[in-house]
Amino acid sequence: MKALTACTKAELAACKQEYEAEYQDFKAQNLKLDMSRGKPAPEQLDLSMPMMDVLTSKDLLQTENGFDCRNYGLIDGIPEAKRMFADILGVSDKEIIICGNSSLNVMFDTVAAAYTHGILGNTPWCQQKDVKFLCPVPGYDRHFSICEWFGIEMINVPLKEDGPDMDLVEKLVSADSSIKGIWCVPQYANPTGCCYSDQVVRRFANLKPKAPDFRIFWDNAYCIHHLVENPPQVLNLMDACKEAGNPNLPYIFASTSKVSFPGSGISMIAGSEENMSDLKKTMSIRTIGYDKINQLRHVRFFHDAAGLRAHMEKHRLIIRPKFEAVINKLNADIRPLGIADWTEPKGGYFISFNSMPGCAKRIVQLCKEAGVTLTGAGATYPYGKDPEDRNIRIAPTYPSVAELTKAMELFCICVKLASVEKLLAE
Amino acid sequence: MKALTACTKAELAACKQEYEAEYQDFKAQNLKLDMSRGKPAPEQLDLSMPMMDVLTSKDLLQTENGFDCRNYGLIDGIPEAKRMFADILGVSDKEIIICGNSSLNVMFDTVAAAYTHGILGNTPWCQQKDVKFLCPVPGYDRHFSICEWFGIEMINVPLKEDGPDMDLVEKLVSADSSIKGIWCVPQYANPTGCCYSDQVVRRFANLKPKAPDFRIFWDNAYCIHHLVENPPQVLNLMDACKEAGNPNLPYIFASTSKVSFPGSGISMIAGSEENMSDLKKTMSIRTIGYDKINQLRHVRFFHDAAGLRAHMEKHRLIIRPKFEAVINKLNADIRPLGIADWTEPKGGYFISFNSMPGCAKRIVQLCKEAGVTLTGAGATYPYGKDPEDRNIRIAPTYPSVAELTKAMELFCICVKLASVEKLLAE
């Protein structure tokens, strides 16, 4: 194969004819596959089915210190759940609150509390003239949606292989008091899969924000979601912040949504005791407490951090071949043509694909018309606006390997077709 | 016994001496009992323990239409749960959203959404000069806390035996566009236990609020929590509002917190399709969905509305004797003295007790010093301010009958002591 970029117009026209025929063949197959979200596959969910048996009518539904989980109380979580996830996140029991079924909900509530009531006595964001967030891009659409909902202006920051462009982050944060936060997925970023380097984490911990109510929204969604046997370690932000004398900088989020059951897992927020006690004020108005029986169910099933990690190894064995199928197909069909690049993540839920500029929307549209729904092009950028129209988030986990192989065949044809259309139009 | 109010100062002084001796005896017993909140008793929680067995690893965790409850999706709830609670609340499947573990959380979020984003396109409350709520008193402290949190001014409205003073409600609501809501517990009000009459419900449905974004916050927390065999029926507000041409007036809330497990139940909001679709906008930013496995667990255990009602009959048999123990003791020890009155509710979780003016705080303090914690005096009024210092909320459900009998003995002594102190000081 020859790089498309090196082809003459006549060669391109011939390619286009060939790709169109292949595309029409696919269309005739009436595929129907939704790859728009990062959903675990049924086989992954099956891994947690024994969790349905750990609490029965014969069990005492009590915490280790004898508290009845069936009744009101313990707004910050049962002690054994706090310990297990404090261990995972590298914080102390006093620096974590175990919440309900959705860490997105916790992030929303945290932004909402800052918006309506302010952080640690600072002026509520809704009463400040401008409120801005830095958004490493490409990133997670639901983070951006929260900002958009609250009218928070988003500023793109390039996400590099070792984390956000810290020169830019430091410059912006130290100069502008209207910058109140930054969304980070430090381990296996959504969608690139990159891990923040130690240096990047240290530079985060040593930020000197102009805004006293600036926070790092550290969404550690994939901290134990490895795809490789010797996974990269991301430095403990909480420790680094304490060392730097900035203990209040981070809000750390995580959940078991892709460990046990999405929607029926448990979530958590971690941070300094001062931050936690600040957040508990709004929490105690909002609810009498989260679902402690479900917290207990999780602890009885996973036991401890080691149990959680062992469970994640089973997930790894299921989803690793799916990531490989995607990467292998891209390597075989697209690599030689010189029209795109993509990430090869060591964990997380996504592969980030960059087409030639101006092709992403067209590729997603072509796939959709042939029955495969991808995450919308642009979704990985604030306001849905990918300035170069290049980035596509591939979510390989939900389909079977067979379905995925089929979908990737189609995807590659669509990439080729869109690219050749683009090159012919130039 | 003679009414204390008819005693001479000398007689009162003798009584005081007698009560003080009795009180000191109690203090020496070192009681320790928390009656501050409306918590179900362990025996009530035991009723729902078989719910822990209805979903096991052998079960398909799918909705009736084949949706996998273990994965993301169905933000407005699984169809069978919607049907069951639509049936209980007398609305259609399209007029209900099944939410997470806490209806308080849903109420908070609903007020918060109105505060930050406004209702159905109206100006957000945070951008309006004054925002006020009407609060039937005595009422539920956590409703008041939500208002206080958002700086919403609360206006007391007397709660009568058949509901709030509707002359006053109509007058205020039609005259003042800054009045945005009213908190109602229509069936077995917290704490009086009164039920709103048909006429009151119809007058609610026919309100002509000056504010287009006025809503009735109809907290139907105790709609199936009867204490008597032939419970009173409260008219369907949703139907009445439709008849009156005001379908968007009510937000209706309920939960299974005191049906299955507090903190591990499910909650719901009901209202017009227009209101539900408005609320789903913020919901879809806030979360990817609620805990569907727990929704399924509830449906599998209760089956339908009839199953829920049958389950509540078991609750009734446990808590009815506790309410009787309280009422009987008050009738025996306090009634003849003419120093207080109280409600005899046909359902719900509380008895509302009114002492002589100026005695409630003292009674609660005396009880606390002898080891029995009651809901703080004043808690049933906005800002914790009972203008006459008379109202005490008695929560009989949690203690055993034996504990309760002991606690009520103490309570009656404290009432007598505080009253005689008051009369002597006059």
Side-chain angles (χ1 to χ4, degrees):
Chain A
M1 280 195 283
K2 182 175 169 184
L4 284 184
T5 42
C7 287
T8 63
K9 292 269 169 177
E11 285 170 327
L12 287 172
C15 286
K16 185 174 178 231
Q17 211 168 6
E18 180 194 330
Y19 301 154
E20 261 175 354
E22 289 176 10
Y23 179 68
Q24 292 306 330
D25 280 354
F26 257 97
K27 238 179 155 173
Q29 294 178 37
N30 291 315
L31 292 182
K32 198 173 175 343
L33 193 58
D34 188 345
M35 289 174 63
S36 64
R37 308 296 320 174
K39 287 167 70 171
E43 302 75 44
Q44 290 178 265
L45 304 174
D46 290 344
L47 295 174
S48 294
M49 284 306 283
M51 198 168 77
M52 301 307 293
D53 303 327
V54 295
L55 295 183
T56 73
S57 60
K58 306 274 180 298
D59 294 290
L60 258 188
L61 306 188
Q62 290 186 353
T63 64
E64 59 190 16
N65 54 354
F67 194 95
D68 191 343
C69 291
R70 305 174 304 173
N71 222 325
Y72 289 115
L74 289 190
I75 195 165
D76 53 0
I78 66 172
E80 47 267 69
K82 292 179 79 161
R83 193 169 56 238
M84 181 161 81
F85 290 102
D87 197 358
I88 289 285
L89 294 176
V91 299
S92 85
D93 294 15
K94 290 179 180 164
E95 294 166 337
I96 192 167
I97 300 171
I98 310 294
C99 304
N101 75 321
S102 158
S103 59
L104 182 69
N105 202 153
V106 182
M107 293 181 235
F108 179 97
D109 286 345
T110 307
V111 172
Y115 184 82
T116 59
H117 288 76
I119 293 174
L120 279 175
N122 288 288
T123 307
W125 293 353
C126 69
Q127 291 169 21
Q128 298 193 34
K129 197 165 162 277
D130 291 307
V131 175
K132 300 173 195 148
F133 260 54
L134 302 184
C135 297
V137 288
Y140 179 34
D141 56 350
R142 290 188 179 268
H143 290 160
F144 305 153
S145 300
I146 292 175
C147 281
E148 206 171 346
W149 182 250
F150 286 105
I152 296 170
E153 185 186 331
M154 292 177 272
I155 300 169
N156 292 2
V157 170
L159 182 68
K160 308 201 286 188
E161 278 188 27
D162 63 346
D165 178 340
M166 291 309 292
D167 290 341
L168 186 56
V169 169
E170 286 165 354
K171 191 182 137 203
L172 291 170
V173 157
S174 61
D176 184 350
S177 65
S178 70
I179 296 177
K180 302 299 186 186
I182 181 167
W183 289 112
C184 295
V185 183
Q187 185 143 16
Y188 313 130
N190 177 351
T192 76
C194 84
C195 290
Y196 291 16
S197 69
D198 292 0
Q199 207 200 349
V200 163
V201 175
R202 286 207 188 86
R203 289 176 76 176
F204 265 113
N206 284 282
L207 282 178
K208 302 277 171 269
K210 192 155 186 201
D213 50 355
F214 174 89
R215 291 294 179 274
I216 303 166
F217 286 72
W218 198 252
D219 182 0
N220 220 339
Y222 307 109
C223 56
I224 53 174
H225 299 60
H226 312 300
L227 287 167
V228 296
E229 275 180 87
N230 293 302
Q233 298 293 317
V234 171
L235 205 68
N236 183 321
L237 177 67
M238 194 69 216
D239 286 348
C241 284
K242 283 179 193 166
E243 260 179 54
N246 283 328
N248 288 342
L249 264 191
Y251 288 143
I252 301 166
F253 306 90
S255 80
T256 68
S257 290
K258 287 164 183 121
V259 178
S260 57
F261 300 120
S264 302
I266 59 180
S267 65
M268 53 229 62
I269 180 166
S272 71
E273 287 185 56
E274 207 177 353
N275 278 337
M276 293 303 99
S277 122
D278 189 40
L279 288 173
K280 261 187 260 187
K281 274 183 222 151
T282 157
M283 228 170 245
S284 69
I285 306 291
R286 196 193 307 126
T287 183
I288 307 181
Y290 299 103
D291 186 340
K292 294 184 296 298
I293 294 181
N294 205 31
Q295 293 178 15
L296 189 66
R297 187 180 284 116
H298 278 72
V299 179
R300 294 277 167 91
F301 182 55
F302 293 116
H303 302 291
D304 53 22
L308 273 169
R309 292 204 169 85
H311 184 80
M312 294 313 291
E313 175 63 11
K314 299 179 194 166
H315 279 283
R316 187 179 82 78
L317 296 175
I318 293 172
I319 64 178
R320 175 73 191 261
K322 299 183 180 182
F323 279 78
E324 283 172 351
V326 172
I327 304 283
N328 290 345
K329 189 70 186 165
L330 292 172
N331 279 335
D333 287 16
I334 305 295
R335 179 79 68 207
L337 303 179
I339 49 173
D341 56 69
W342 51 90
T343 59
E344 299 194 14
K346 293 182 173 169
Y349 257 62
F350 304 103
I351 289 163
S352 178
F353 179 91
N354 282 316
S355 67
M356 290 169 49
C359 289
K361 276 207 173 74
R362 176 69 178 149
I363 293 167
V364 170
Q365 179 204 357
L366 283 167
C367 282
K368 191 171 183 79
E369 285 168 9
V372 173
T373 306
L374 299 168
T375 307
T380 53
Y381 281 76
Y383 311 106
K385 286 182 195 155
D386 174 357
E388 295 195 280
D389 185 27
R390 293 187 66 192
N391 191 251
I392 296 173
R393 184 179 81 164
I394 301 177
T397 52
Y398 188 76
S400 68
V401 172
E403 287 172 321
L404 191 61
T405 306
K406 201 87 191 165
M408 285 309 296
E409 273 178 46
L410 171 65
F411 179 78
C412 290
I413 290 166
C414 296
V415 170
K416 291 189 277 187
L417 185 51
S419 305
V420 84
E421 284 173 355
K422 177 82 184 169
L423 289 165
L424 277 169
E426 269 170 5
Chain B
M1 278 195 284
K2 181 175 169 183
L4 283 184
T5 43
C7 289
T8 63
K9 292 268 169 179
E11 285 169 326
L12 288 171
C15 287
K16 185 172 178 235
Q17 212 167 5
E18 179 194 330
Y19 301 154
E20 259 173 358
E22 288 175 10
Y23 180 69
Q24 291 307 330
D25 281 353
F26 256 97
K27 239 178 154 174
Q29 293 178 37
N30 290 313
L31 293 182
K32 198 174 178 332
L33 191 59
D34 188 345
M35 289 173 63
S36 63
R37 307 299 316 175
K39 289 167 68 172
E43 301 75 41
Q44 290 178 264
L45 304 174
D46 290 344
L47 296 175
S48 295
M49 284 305 283
M51 196 167 78
M52 302 306 294
D53 303 326
V54 296
L55 296 183
T56 73
S57 61
K58 305 276 181 297
D59 294 290
L60 259 188
L61 306 187
Q62 291 185 352
T63 64
E64 58 190 16
N65 54 353
F67 195 95
D68 192 342
C69 291
R70 305 173 306 173
N71 222 325
Y72 290 115
L74 289 190
I75 195 167
D76 53 1
I78 65 172
E80 46 268 68
K82 292 178 79 162
R83 196 170 53 238
M84 182 161 80
F85 290 102
D87 198 357
I88 288 285
L89 295 176
V91 299
S92 86
D93 294 17
K94 289 179 180 164
E95 294 166 336
I96 192 166
I97 300 171
I98 310 295
C99 305
N101 75 320
S102 159
S103 58
L104 182 69
N105 201 152
V106 182
M107 292 180 235
F108 180 98
D109 287 345
T110 307
V111 171
Y115 184 82
T116 59
H117 287 77
I119 293 174
L120 280 176
N122 288 289
T123 307
W125 293 352
C126 70
Q127 291 168 22
Q128 299 193 33
K129 198 167 162 274
D130 291 308
V131 175
K132 299 174 195 147
F133 259 54
L134 302 185
C135 297
V137 288
Y140 179 35
D141 57 349
R142 289 187 180 269
H143 290 161
F144 305 152
S145 300
I146 293 175
C147 279
E148 204 169 348
W149 182 251
F150 287 106
I152 296 170
E153 185 188 332
M154 291 177 273
I155 300 169
N156 292 3
V157 170
L159 183 66
K160 307 201 286 186
E161 279 189 27
D162 63 346
D165 178 339
M166 291 308 293
D167 290 342
L168 185 56
V169 169
E170 285 166 354
K171 190 182 139 203
L172 292 169
V173 157
S174 61
D176 184 349
S177 66
S178 70
I179 296 177
K180 302 299 188 186
I182 181 167
W183 289 112
C184 296
V185 182
Q187 184 142 16
Y188 313 129
N190 177 351
T192 75
C194 85
C195 291
Y196 291 17
S197 69
D198 292 0
Q199 206 201 349
V200 163
V201 175
R202 285 207 188 88
R203 289 177 75 176
F204 265 113
N206 283 283
L207 282 177
K208 302 277 170 268
K210 192 155 188 202
D213 49 354
F214 173 89
R215 290 294 180 274
I216 303 165
F217 287 71
W218 198 252
D219 182 359
N220 220 338
Y222 306 109
C223 56
I224 54 174
H225 300 61
H226 312 301
L227 287 167
V228 295
E229 276 180 86
N230 293 302
Q233 297 294 316
V234 170
L235 204 68
N236 184 321
L237 177 67
M238 194 69 216
D239 287 347
C241 285
K242 283 179 193 165
E243 260 178 55
N246 282 328
N248 288 342
L249 264 191
Y251 287 144
I252 300 166
F253 306 91
S255 81
T256 68
S257 290
K258 288 164 183 121
V259 178
S260 56
F261 299 121
S264 301
I266 59 179
S267 65
M268 54 230 62
I269 181 168
S272 70
E273 286 185 56
E274 207 176 353
N275 277 337
M276 293 303 98
S277 124
D278 189 41
L279 288 172
K280 261 186 260 185
K281 276 183 219 150
T282 157
M283 229 170 244
S284 70
I285 306 292
R286 196 193 308 128
T287 183
I288 307 181
Y290 299 103
D291 186 340
K292 294 185 296 297
I293 294 181
N294 205 31
Q295 294 177 14
L296 189 66
R297 187 180 285 116
H298 277 72
V299 178
R300 293 278 167 91
F301 182 54
F302 293 116
H303 301 292
D304 52 23
L308 274 168
R309 292 205 169 87
H311 184 80
M312 293 314 291
E313 174 64 12
K314 298 179 195 166
H315 279 283
R316 187 179 82 79
L317 296 176
I318 294 173
I319 63 178
R320 174 74 192 260
K322 298 183 181 181
F323 279 78
E324 283 172 351
V326 171
I327 303 283
N328 290 344
K329 189 70 185 163
L330 291 173
N331 279 335
D333 288 17
I334 306 295
R335 179 79 68 205
L337 302 180
I339 49 173
D341 55 71
W342 51 89
T343 58
E344 299 194 15
K346 294 182 172 169
Y349 258 62
F350 304 104
I351 290 162
S352 179
F353 179 91
N354 282 317
S355 68
M356 289 169 52
C359 289
K361 277 207 172 73
R362 176 68 178 150
I363 294 167
V364 170
Q365 180 205 358
L366 284 167
C367 283
K368 192 172 182 79
E369 284 169 10
V372 172
T373 305
L374 299 169
T375 308
T380 53
Y381 281 75
Y383 311 107
K385 284 181 196 156
D386 174 357
E388 295 194 280
D389 186 27
R390 294 186 64 192
N391 191 250
I392 297 173
R393 185 179 79 164
I394 302 176
T397 52
Y398 187 75
S400 67
V401 173
E403 288 171 320
L404 191 61
T405 305
K406 202 87 191 164
M408 285 310 296
E409 274 178 44
L410 171 66
F411 180 78
C412 290
I413 290 166
C414 296
V415 170
K416 290 190 277 187
L417 185 51
S419 305
V420 85
E421 285 173 355
K422 177 81 185 170
L423 288 166
L424 277 168
E426 271 169 5

